[in-house]
Amino acid sequence: MGCDIHAFIEQQSNGSSRWRMIPDDIFDCRHYGLFGWLADVRNYSVVPPISQPRGLPLNASRGIRREFESWGIDAHSESWPSADELLEFDYDAEFEDRRGEWWQPADPGSGEMTTYRDFLGSGYFDDLETLRGLRQLRPTRVVFWFDN
């Protein structure tokens, strides 16, 4: 059985603390490397995650809450990095990709050194450009969770 991400973009409403969901696809793929980096989910490469899951934002939009609740007990590892966090990350930094056979990580020191840029791939950076454009308008974040 596979694991999928459910990711949505939210922007802060003008001059308030309220957020609204933006109808735009983001991270719409099954990429376990990305899942490991975003939230330590299916982290077969032992990639250092950008953060541990933070939970659903307390001020998530109604649309996000409705989507999340529709997944019931199958939803897990919900989190929400800001566009700034994702855009300011050092993607040229290196780490040891320890993906081994199937789902077993290789021993420390026996993996391959790679950059986050190479590891995450070009599709991720296409999504990042979408966030860059939106962030120029107002605060933006990505809210996501996984199912399996």
mmCIF file of all heavy atoms in Angstrom, residues 20-67:
data_model
loop_
_atom_site.group_PDB
_atom_site.id
_atom_site.type_symbol
_atom_site.label_atom_id
_atom_site.label_comp_id
_atom_site.label_asym_id
_atom_site.label_seq_id
_atom_site.Cartn_x
_atom_site.Cartn_y
_atom_site.Cartn_z
ATOM 1 N N ARG A 20 -6.922 31.831 3.593
ATOM 2 C CA ARG A 20 -7.848 31.261 2.610
ATOM 3 C C ARG A 20 -7.094 30.293 1.712
ATOM 4 O O ARG A 20 -5.915 30.487 1.414
ATOM 5 C CB ARG A 20 -8.533 32.356 1.800
ATOM 6 C CG ARG A 20 -7.605 33.165 0.936
ATOM 7 C CD ARG A 20 -8.370 34.272 0.193
ATOM 8 N NE ARG A 20 -7.452 35.074 -0.587
ATOM 9 C CZ ARG A 20 -7.124 34.846 -1.850
ATOM 10 N NH1 ARG A 20 -7.655 33.837 -2.491
ATOM 11 N NH2 ARG A 20 -6.273 35.622 -2.476
ATOM 12 N N MET A 21 -7.785 29.249 1.308
ATOM 13 C CA MET A 21 -7.194 28.226 0.462
ATOM 14 C C MET A 21 -7.142 28.729 -0.982
ATOM 15 O O MET A 21 -8.091 29.328 -1.475
ATOM 16 C CB MET A 21 -8.026 26.938 0.549
ATOM 17 C CG MET A 21 -7.385 25.754 -0.094
ATOM 18 S SD MET A 21 -8.165 24.176 0.369
ATOM 19 C CE MET A 21 -9.746 24.317 -0.432
ATOM 20 N N ILE A 22 -6.009 28.497 -1.637
ATOM 21 C CA ILE A 22 -5.807 28.880 -3.038
ATOM 22 C C ILE A 22 -5.996 27.617 -3.887
ATOM 23 O O ILE A 22 -5.349 26.606 -3.636
ATOM 24 C CB ILE A 22 -4.372 29.421 -3.265
ATOM 25 C CG1 ILE A 22 -4.086 30.602 -2.351
ATOM 26 C CG2 ILE A 22 -4.135 29.755 -4.712
ATOM 27 C CD1 ILE A 22 -4.907 31.815 -2.637
ATOM 28 N N PRO A 23 -6.849 27.663 -4.888
ATOM 29 C CA PRO A 23 -7.056 26.459 -5.708
ATOM 30 C C PRO A 23 -5.901 26.240 -6.697
ATOM 31 O O PRO A 23 -5.978 26.622 -7.860
ATOM 32 C CB PRO A 23 -8.368 26.752 -6.436
ATOM 33 C CG PRO A 23 -8.435 28.238 -6.505
ATOM 34 C CD PRO A 23 -7.733 28.759 -5.290
ATOM 35 N N ASP A 24 -4.835 25.660 -6.211
ATOM 36 C CA ASP A 24 -3.666 25.394 -7.050
ATOM 37 C C ASP A 24 -3.028 24.090 -6.565
ATOM 38 O O ASP A 24 -2.872 23.887 -5.368
ATOM 39 C CB ASP A 24 -2.666 26.547 -6.919
ATOM 40 C CG ASP A 24 -1.735 26.651 -8.108
ATOM 41 O OD1 ASP A 24 -1.576 25.642 -8.817
ATOM 42 O OD2 ASP A 24 -1.164 27.723 -8.316
ATOM 43 N N ASP A 25 -2.698 23.215 -7.493
ATOM 44 C CA ASP A 25 -2.034 21.959 -7.118
ATOM 45 C C ASP A 25 -0.591 22.217 -6.741
ATOM 46 O O ASP A 25 0.095 23.011 -7.376
ATOM 47 C CB ASP A 25 -2.055 20.975 -8.295
ATOM 48 C CG ASP A 25 -3.437 20.419 -8.554
ATOM 49 O OD1 ASP A 25 -4.241 20.376 -7.610
ATOM 50 O OD2 ASP A 25 -3.691 20.019 -9.697
ATOM 51 N N ILE A 26 -0.141 21.517 -5.709
ATOM 52 C CA ILE A 26 1.265 21.610 -5.311
ATOM 53 C C ILE A 26 1.677 20.256 -4.719
ATOM 54 O O ILE A 26 0.870 19.594 -4.058
ATOM 55 C CB ILE A 26 1.502 22.766 -4.316
ATOM 56 C CG1 ILE A 26 2.978 23.008 -4.149
ATOM 57 C CG2 ILE A 26 0.811 22.527 -2.995
ATOM 58 C CD1 ILE A 26 3.331 24.360 -3.592
ATOM 59 N N PHE A 27 2.888 19.858 -5.000
ATOM 60 C CA PHE A 27 3.440 18.585 -4.510
ATOM 61 C C PHE A 27 2.519 17.415 -4.858
ATOM 62 O O PHE A 27 2.348 16.490 -4.076
ATOM 63 C CB PHE A 27 3.700 18.616 -3.005
ATOM 64 C CG PHE A 27 4.555 19.760 -2.540
ATOM 65 C CD1 PHE A 27 4.405 20.261 -1.263
ATOM 66 C CD2 PHE A 27 5.517 20.326 -3.359
ATOM 67 C CE1 PHE A 27 5.194 21.306 -0.813
ATOM 68 C CE2 PHE A 27 6.313 21.374 -2.915
ATOM 69 C CZ PHE A 27 6.147 21.864 -1.641
ATOM 70 N N ASP A 28 1.921 17.474 -6.038
ATOM 71 C CA ASP A 28 0.941 16.476 -6.463
ATOM 72 C C ASP A 28 1.638 15.274 -7.103
ATOM 73 O O ASP A 28 1.574 15.072 -8.311
ATOM 74 C CB ASP A 28 -0.049 17.117 -7.444
ATOM 75 C CG ASP A 28 -1.235 16.230 -7.727
ATOM 76 O OD1 ASP A 28 -1.492 15.316 -6.925
ATOM 77 O OD2 ASP A 28 -1.892 16.447 -8.760
ATOM 78 N N CYS A 29 2.351 14.512 -6.275
ATOM 79 C CA CYS A 29 3.081 13.344 -6.770
ATOM 80 C C CYS A 29 3.362 12.400 -5.601
ATOM 81 O O CYS A 29 3.240 12.793 -4.454
ATOM 82 C CB CYS A 29 4.395 13.758 -7.420
ATOM 83 S SG CYS A 29 5.541 14.545 -6.274
ATOM 84 N N ARG A 30 3.734 11.185 -5.927
ATOM 85 C CA ARG A 30 4.160 10.234 -4.887
ATOM 86 C C ARG A 30 5.681 10.194 -4.948
ATOM 87 O O ARG A 30 6.257 9.493 -5.764
ATOM 88 C CB ARG A 30 3.573 8.866 -5.116
ATOM 89 C CG ARG A 30 3.929 7.895 -3.993
ATOM 90 C CD ARG A 30 3.301 6.548 -4.178
ATOM 91 N NE ARG A 30 1.893 6.611 -3.804
ATOM 92 C CZ ARG A 30 1.052 5.587 -3.924
ATOM 93 N NH1 ARG A 30 1.471 4.439 -4.409
ATOM 94 N NH2 ARG A 30 -0.203 5.711 -3.559
ATOM 95 N N HIS A 31 6.312 10.994 -4.109
ATOM 96 C CA HIS A 31 7.773 11.150 -4.096
ATOM 97 C C HIS A 31 8.211 10.979 -2.643
ATOM 98 O O HIS A 31 8.186 11.923 -1.860
ATOM 99 C CB HIS A 31 8.109 12.531 -4.637
ATOM 100 C CG HIS A 31 9.549 12.880 -4.713
ATOM 101 N ND1 HIS A 31 10.535 12.360 -3.910
ATOM 102 C CD2 HIS A 31 10.194 13.752 -5.529
ATOM 103 C CE1 HIS A 31 11.700 12.889 -4.212
ATOM 104 N NE2 HIS A 31 11.511 13.731 -5.203
ATOM 105 N N TYR A 32 8.594 9.748 -2.282
ATOM 106 C CA TYR A 32 8.924 9.469 -0.894
ATOM 107 C C TYR A 32 10.128 10.264 -0.406
ATOM 108 O O TYR A 32 10.234 10.546 0.786
ATOM 109 C CB TYR A 32 9.125 7.975 -0.671
ATOM 110 C CG TYR A 32 7.843 7.176 -0.773
ATOM 111 C CD1 TYR A 32 7.889 5.802 -0.934
ATOM 112 C CD2 TYR A 32 6.587 7.767 -0.702
ATOM 113 C CE1 TYR A 32 6.727 5.046 -1.019
ATOM 114 C CE2 TYR A 32 5.431 7.031 -0.785
ATOM 115 C CZ TYR A 32 5.499 5.672 -0.943
ATOM 116 O OH TYR A 32 4.350 4.935 -1.024
ATOM 117 N N GLY A 33 11.019 10.644 -1.293
ATOM 118 C CA GLY A 33 12.122 11.519 -0.892
ATOM 119 C C GLY A 33 11.597 12.862 -0.400
ATOM 120 O O GLY A 33 12.020 13.374 0.636
ATOM 121 N N LEU A 34 10.640 13.431 -1.145
ATOM 122 C CA LEU A 34 10.007 14.688 -0.749
ATOM 123 C C LEU A 34 9.252 14.514 0.567
ATOM 124 O O LEU A 34 9.344 15.352 1.462
ATOM 125 C CB LEU A 34 9.053 15.167 -1.846
ATOM 126 C CG LEU A 34 8.204 16.391 -1.532
ATOM 127 C CD1 LEU A 34 9.074 17.624 -1.322
ATOM 128 C CD2 LEU A 34 7.188 16.627 -2.642
ATOM 129 N N PHE A 35 8.541 13.399 0.713
ATOM 130 C CA PHE A 35 7.779 13.153 1.938
ATOM 131 C C PHE A 35 8.717 13.088 3.147
ATOM 132 O O PHE A 35 8.410 13.606 4.216
ATOM 133 C CB PHE A 35 6.992 11.849 1.846
ATOM 134 C CG PHE A 35 5.952 11.790 0.759
ATOM 135 C CD1 PHE A 35 5.212 10.641 0.574
ATOM 136 C CD2 PHE A 35 5.715 12.856 -0.092
ATOM 137 C CE1 PHE A 35 4.253 10.547 -0.425
ATOM 138 C CE2 PHE A 35 4.763 12.781 -1.095
ATOM 139 C CZ PHE A 35 4.027 11.618 -1.257
ATOM 140 N N GLY A 36 9.860 12.432 2.962
ATOM 141 C CA GLY A 36 10.837 12.331 4.042
ATOM 142 C C GLY A 36 11.382 13.689 4.426
ATOM 143 O O GLY A 36 11.541 14.004 5.608
ATOM 144 N N TRP A 37 11.665 14.520 3.417
ATOM 145 C CA TRP A 37 12.225 15.844 3.679
ATOM 146 C C TRP A 37 11.192 16.779 4.313
ATOM 147 O O TRP A 37 11.504 17.538 5.226
ATOM 148 C CB TRP A 37 12.773 16.459 2.392
ATOM 149 C CG TRP A 37 13.344 17.805 2.616
ATOM 150 C CD1 TRP A 37 14.491 18.110 3.301
ATOM 151 C CD2 TRP A 37 12.794 19.041 2.186
ATOM 152 N NE1 TRP A 37 14.671 19.478 3.318
ATOM 153 C CE2 TRP A 37 13.652 20.069 2.629
ATOM 154 C CE3 TRP A 37 11.659 19.381 1.453
ATOM 155 C CZ2 TRP A 37 13.406 21.410 2.366
ATOM 156 C CZ3 TRP A 37 11.424 20.719 1.187
ATOM 157 C CH2 TRP A 37 12.295 21.718 1.650
ATOM 158 N N LEU A 38 9.953 16.718 3.858
ATOM 159 C CA LEU A 38 8.924 17.613 4.385
ATOM 160 C C LEU A 38 8.505 17.270 5.810
ATOM 161 O O LEU A 38 8.241 18.172 6.603
ATOM 162 C CB LEU A 38 7.674 17.583 3.496
ATOM 163 C CG LEU A 38 7.727 18.353 2.198
ATOM 164 C CD1 LEU A 38 6.474 18.082 1.375
ATOM 165 C CD2 LEU A 38 7.898 19.844 2.434
ATOM 166 N N ALA A 39 8.418 15.969 6.135
ATOM 167 C CA ALA A 39 7.815 15.612 7.430
ATOM 168 C C ALA A 39 8.331 14.304 8.013
ATOM 169 O O ALA A 39 7.682 13.740 8.887
ATOM 170 C CB ALA A 39 6.298 15.548 7.273
ATOM 171 N N ASP A 40 9.445 13.794 7.519
ATOM 172 C CA ASP A 40 10.011 12.549 8.038
ATOM 173 C C ASP A 40 9.067 11.363 7.825
ATOM 174 O O ASP A 40 9.042 10.422 8.607
ATOM 175 C CB ASP A 40 10.378 12.697 9.522
ATOM 176 C CG ASP A 40 11.515 11.783 9.942
ATOM 177 O OD1 ASP A 40 12.227 11.255 9.063
ATOM 178 O OD2 ASP A 40 11.694 11.591 11.158
ATOM 179 N N VAL A 41 8.283 11.400 6.745
ATOM 180 C CA VAL A 41 7.346 10.339 6.390
ATOM 181 C C VAL A 41 7.957 9.487 5.290
ATOM 182 O O VAL A 41 8.475 10.020 4.311
ATOM 183 C CB VAL A 41 5.999 10.938 5.926
ATOM 184 C CG1 VAL A 41 5.097 9.886 5.300
ATOM 185 C CG2 VAL A 41 5.306 11.627 7.087
ATOM 186 N N ARG A 42 7.930 8.156 5.454
ATOM 187 C CA ARG A 42 8.524 7.214 4.492
ATOM 188 C C ARG A 42 9.948 7.642 4.138
ATOM 189 O O ARG A 42 10.349 7.660 2.984
ATOM 190 C CB ARG A 42 7.670 7.090 3.233
ATOM 191 C CG ARG A 42 6.249 6.643 3.458
ATOM 192 C CD ARG A 42 6.140 5.136 3.440
ATOM 193 N NE ARG A 42 4.813 4.697 3.776
ATOM 194 C CZ ARG A 42 4.064 3.917 3.010
ATOM 195 N NH1 ARG A 42 4.518 3.492 1.863
ATOM 196 N NH2 ARG A 42 2.877 3.545 3.423
ATOM 197 N N ASN A 43 10.689 7.986 5.158
ATOM 198 C CA ASN A 43 12.024 8.573 4.983
ATOM 199 C C ASN A 43 13.092 7.490 4.809
ATOM 200 O O ASN A 43 13.989 7.334 5.627
ATOM 201 C CB ASN A 43 12.342 9.481 6.175
ATOM 202 C CG ASN A 43 13.503 10.393 5.893
ATOM 203 O OD1 ASN A 43 14.130 10.323 4.849
ATOM 204 N ND2 ASN A 43 13.806 11.249 6.850
ATOM 205 N N TYR A 44 12.989 6.754 3.712
ATOM 206 C CA TYR A 44 13.898 5.647 3.439
ATOM 207 C C TYR A 44 15.324 6.124 3.147
ATOM 208 O O TYR A 44 16.269 5.361 3.273
ATOM 209 C CB TYR A 44 13.392 4.818 2.267
ATOM 210 C CG TYR A 44 11.979 4.324 2.454
ATOM 211 C CD1 TYR A 44 11.033 4.473 1.458
ATOM 212 C CD2 TYR A 44 11.592 3.702 3.643
ATOM 213 C CE1 TYR A 44 9.737 4.020 1.631
ATOM 214 C CE2 TYR A 44 10.297 3.256 3.829
ATOM 215 C CZ TYR A 44 9.371 3.419 2.810
ATOM 216 O OH TYR A 44 8.094 2.974 2.993
ATOM 217 N N SER A 45 15.477 7.381 2.732
ATOM 218 C CA SER A 45 16.799 7.940 2.450
ATOM 219 C C SER A 45 17.454 8.539 3.678
ATOM 220 O O SER A 45 18.597 8.962 3.638
ATOM 221 C CB SER A 45 16.700 9.009 1.356
ATOM 222 O OG SER A 45 16.341 8.423 0.128
ATOM 223 N N VAL A 46 16.720 8.634 4.779
ATOM 224 C CA VAL A 46 17.170 9.248 6.023
ATOM 225 C C VAL A 46 17.619 10.696 5.756
ATOM 226 O O VAL A 46 18.618 11.169 6.266
ATOM 227 C CB VAL A 46 18.279 8.411 6.719
ATOM 228 C CG1 VAL A 46 18.461 8.852 8.163
ATOM 229 C CG2 VAL A 46 17.980 6.921 6.686
ATOM 230 N N VAL A 47 16.843 11.388 4.918
ATOM 231 C CA VAL A 47 17.111 12.793 4.626
ATOM 232 C C VAL A 47 16.728 13.616 5.855
ATOM 233 O O VAL A 47 15.673 13.379 6.459
ATOM 234 C CB VAL A 47 16.340 13.264 3.363
ATOM 235 C CG1 VAL A 47 14.860 13.064 3.497
ATOM 236 C CG2 VAL A 47 16.644 14.716 3.035
ATOM 237 N N PRO A 48 17.577 14.560 6.283
ATOM 238 C CA PRO A 48 17.181 15.421 7.403
ATOM 239 C C PRO A 48 15.954 16.261 7.018
ATOM 240 O O PRO A 48 15.997 17.013 6.038
ATOM 241 C CB PRO A 48 18.408 16.309 7.628
ATOM 242 C CG PRO A 48 19.547 15.534 7.030
ATOM 243 C CD PRO A 48 18.965 14.806 5.857
ATOM 244 N N PRO A 49 14.842 16.121 7.735
ATOM 245 C CA PRO A 49 13.626 16.859 7.366
ATOM 246 C C PRO A 49 13.747 18.356 7.663
ATOM 247 O O PRO A 49 14.464 18.761 8.575
ATOM 248 C CB PRO A 49 12.533 16.222 8.204
ATOM 249 C CG PRO A 49 13.226 15.509 9.301
ATOM 250 C CD PRO A 49 14.624 15.222 8.862
ATOM 251 N N ILE A 50 13.010 19.130 6.881
ATOM 252 C CA ILE A 50 12.989 20.581 7.099
ATOM 253 C C ILE A 50 12.381 20.869 8.470
ATOM 254 O O ILE A 50 12.771 21.817 9.134
ATOM 255 C CB ILE A 50 12.245 21.329 5.970
ATOM 256 C CG1 ILE A 50 12.443 22.830 6.102
ATOM 257 C CG2 ILE A 50 10.799 20.928 5.887
ATOM 258 C CD1 ILE A 50 12.009 23.638 4.902
ATOM 259 N N SER A 51 11.437 20.038 8.919
ATOM 260 C CA SER A 51 10.896 20.128 10.283
ATOM 261 C C SER A 51 10.115 18.855 10.567
ATOM 262 O O SER A 51 9.726 18.141 9.652
ATOM 263 C CB SER A 51 9.987 21.348 10.454
ATOM 264 O OG SER A 51 8.740 21.141 9.823
ATOM 265 N N GLN A 52 9.893 18.596 11.828
ATOM 266 C CA GLN A 52 8.992 17.516 12.202
ATOM 267 C C GLN A 52 7.562 18.031 11.990
ATOM 268 O O GLN A 52 7.332 19.245 11.987
ATOM 269 C CB GLN A 52 9.222 17.109 13.658
ATOM 270 C CG GLN A 52 10.544 16.398 13.888
ATOM 271 C CD GLN A 52 10.640 15.096 13.094
ATOM 272 O OE1 GLN A 52 9.724 14.288 13.088
ATOM 273 N NE2 GLN A 52 11.765 14.912 12.409
ATOM 274 N N PRO A 53 6.594 17.145 11.801
ATOM 275 C CA PRO A 53 5.211 17.606 11.589
ATOM 276 C C PRO A 53 4.741 18.528 12.710
ATOM 277 O O PRO A 53 4.973 18.271 13.885
ATOM 278 C CB PRO A 53 4.411 16.296 11.566
ATOM 279 C CG PRO A 53 5.394 15.282 11.088
ATOM 280 C CD PRO A 53 6.713 15.698 11.699
ATOM 281 N N ARG A 54 4.102 19.610 12.312
ATOM 282 C CA ARG A 54 3.649 20.649 13.249
ATOM 283 C C ARG A 54 2.177 20.540 13.594
ATOM 284 O O ARG A 54 1.668 21.332 14.392
ATOM 285 C CB ARG A 54 3.882 22.022 12.617
ATOM 286 C CG ARG A 54 5.319 22.294 12.297
ATOM 287 C CD ARG A 54 5.466 23.560 11.508
ATOM 288 N NE ARG A 54 6.866 23.861 11.310
ATOM 289 C CZ ARG A 54 7.315 24.722 10.427
ATOM 290 N NH1 ARG A 54 6.471 25.397 9.647
ATOM 291 N NH2 ARG A 54 8.605 24.936 10.311
ATOM 292 N N GLY A 55 1.474 19.638 12.941
ATOM 293 C CA GLY A 55 0.029 19.575 13.112
ATOM 294 C C GLY A 55 -0.657 20.526 12.145
ATOM 295 O O GLY A 55 -0.016 21.301 11.442
ATOM 296 N N LEU A 56 -1.960 20.458 12.114
ATOM 297 C CA LEU A 56 -2.735 21.377 11.291
ATOM 298 C C LEU A 56 -2.673 22.759 11.931
ATOM 299 O O LEU A 56 -2.753 22.863 13.161
ATOM 300 C CB LEU A 56 -4.181 20.878 11.233
ATOM 301 C CG LEU A 56 -5.019 21.287 10.040
ATOM 302 C CD1 LEU A 56 -4.444 20.709 8.758
ATOM 303 C CD2 LEU A 56 -6.450 20.804 10.220
ATOM 304 N N PRO A 57 -2.515 23.825 11.143
ATOM 305 C CA PRO A 57 -2.485 25.153 11.767
ATOM 306 C C PRO A 57 -3.782 25.440 12.518
ATOM 307 O O PRO A 57 -4.869 25.095 12.044
ATOM 308 C CB PRO A 57 -2.334 26.123 10.584
ATOM 309 C CG PRO A 57 -1.971 25.303 9.411
ATOM 310 C CD PRO A 57 -2.394 23.905 9.689
ATOM 311 N N LEU A 58 -3.662 26.056 13.666
ATOM 312 C CA LEU A 58 -4.851 26.392 14.452
ATOM 313 C C LEU A 58 -5.790 27.313 13.686
ATOM 314 O O LEU A 58 -6.998 27.267 13.864
ATOM 315 C CB LEU A 58 -4.443 27.032 15.784
ATOM 316 C CG LEU A 58 -3.676 26.125 16.736
ATOM 317 C CD1 LEU A 58 -3.243 26.909 17.972
ATOM 318 C CD2 LEU A 58 -4.511 24.916 17.118
ATOM 319 N N ASN A 59 -5.214 28.159 12.821
ATOM 320 C CA ASN A 59 -6.023 29.109 12.058
ATOM 321 C C ASN A 59 -6.177 28.688 10.595
ATOM 322 O O ASN A 59 -6.333 29.531 9.714
ATOM 323 C CB ASN A 59 -5.436 30.517 12.156
ATOM 324 C CG ASN A 59 -4.005 30.581 11.649
ATOM 325 O OD1 ASN A 59 -3.391 29.558 11.314
ATOM 326 N ND2 ASN A 59 -3.460 31.784 11.602
ATOM 327 N N ALA A 60 -6.173 27.381 10.328
ATOM 328 C CA ALA A 60 -6.359 26.881 8.961
ATOM 329 C C ALA A 60 -7.725 27.315 8.428
ATOM 330 O O ALA A 60 -8.699 27.439 9.188
ATOM 331 C CB ALA A 60 -6.240 25.369 8.926
ATOM 332 N N SER A 61 -7.794 27.517 7.137
ATOM 333 C CA SER A 61 -9.055 27.924 6.510
ATOM 334 C C SER A 61 -10.104 26.808 6.627
ATOM 335 O O SER A 61 -9.781 25.649 6.857
ATOM 336 C CB SER A 61 -8.813 28.249 5.033
ATOM 337 O OG SER A 61 -8.423 27.070 4.341
ATOM 338 N N ARG A 62 -11.366 27.188 6.455
ATOM 339 C CA ARG A 62 -12.447 26.203 6.506
ATOM 340 C C ARG A 62 -12.269 25.131 5.431
ATOM 341 O O ARG A 62 -12.541 23.961 5.662
ATOM 342 C CB ARG A 62 -13.804 26.883 6.337
ATOM 343 C CG ARG A 62 -14.373 27.311 7.668
ATOM 344 C CD ARG A 62 -15.740 27.854 7.475
ATOM 345 N NE ARG A 62 -15.554 29.308 7.513
ATOM 346 C CZ ARG A 62 -16.457 30.202 7.224
ATOM 347 N NH1 ARG A 62 -17.630 29.835 6.826
ATOM 348 N NH2 ARG A 62 -16.191 31.474 7.316
ATOM 349 N N GLY A 63 -11.810 25.549 4.258
ATOM 350 C CA GLY A 63 -11.603 24.598 3.173
ATOM 351 C C GLY A 63 -10.579 23.536 3.535
ATOM 352 O O GLY A 63 -10.779 22.344 3.271
ATOM 353 N N ILE A 64 -9.498 23.946 4.177
ATOM 354 C CA ILE A 64 -8.455 23.007 4.608
ATOM 355 C C ILE A 64 -9.023 22.069 5.673
ATOM 356 O O ILE A 64 -8.840 20.856 5.615
ATOM 357 C CB ILE A 64 -7.222 23.754 5.157
ATOM 358 C CG1 ILE A 64 -6.531 24.550 4.052
ATOM 359 C CG2 ILE A 64 -6.263 22.797 5.855
ATOM 360 C CD1 ILE A 64 -5.805 23.731 3.022
ATOM 361 N N ARG A 65 -9.713 22.637 6.641
ATOM 362 C CA ARG A 65 -10.269 21.808 7.712
ATOM 363 C C ARG A 65 -11.259 20.773 7.158
ATOM 364 O O ARG A 65 -11.258 19.614 7.566
ATOM 365 C CB ARG A 65 -10.955 22.670 8.765
ATOM 366 C CG ARG A 65 -9.953 23.466 9.565
ATOM 367 C CD ARG A 65 -10.555 24.003 10.846
ATOM 368 N NE ARG A 65 -9.532 24.708 11.589
ATOM 369 C CZ ARG A 65 -8.556 24.127 12.276
ATOM 370 N NH1 ARG A 65 -8.471 22.831 12.300
ATOM 371 N NH2 ARG A 65 -7.659 24.842 12.913
ATOM 372 N N ARG A 66 -12.088 21.205 6.217
ATOM 373 C CA ARG A 66 -13.057 20.294 5.601
ATOM 374 C C ARG A 66 -12.338 19.152 4.866
ATOM 375 O O ARG A 66 -12.700 17.987 5.010
ATOM 376 C CB ARG A 66 -13.947 21.084 4.639
ATOM 377 C CG ARG A 66 -15.320 20.590 4.523
ATOM 378 C CD ARG A 66 -16.287 21.465 3.728
ATOM 379 N NE ARG A 66 -15.732 22.560 2.951
ATOM 380 C CZ ARG A 66 -15.839 23.850 3.284
ATOM 381 N NH1 ARG A 66 -16.465 24.197 4.379
ATOM 382 N NH2 ARG A 66 -15.333 24.780 2.519
ATOM 383 N N GLU A 67 -11.310 19.505 4.081
ATOM 384 C CA GLU A 67 -10.531 18.483 3.365
ATOM 385 C C GLU A 67 -9.883 17.506 4.342
ATOM 386 O O GLU A 67 -9.929 16.301 4.144
ATOM 387 C CB GLU A 67 -9.446 19.145 2.509
ATOM 388 C CG GLU A 67 -9.941 19.825 1.274
ATOM 389 C CD GLU A 67 -10.321 18.857 0.172
ATOM 390 O OE1 GLU A 67 -9.842 17.703 0.171
ATOM 391 O OE2 GLU A 67 -11.098 19.259 -0.697
#
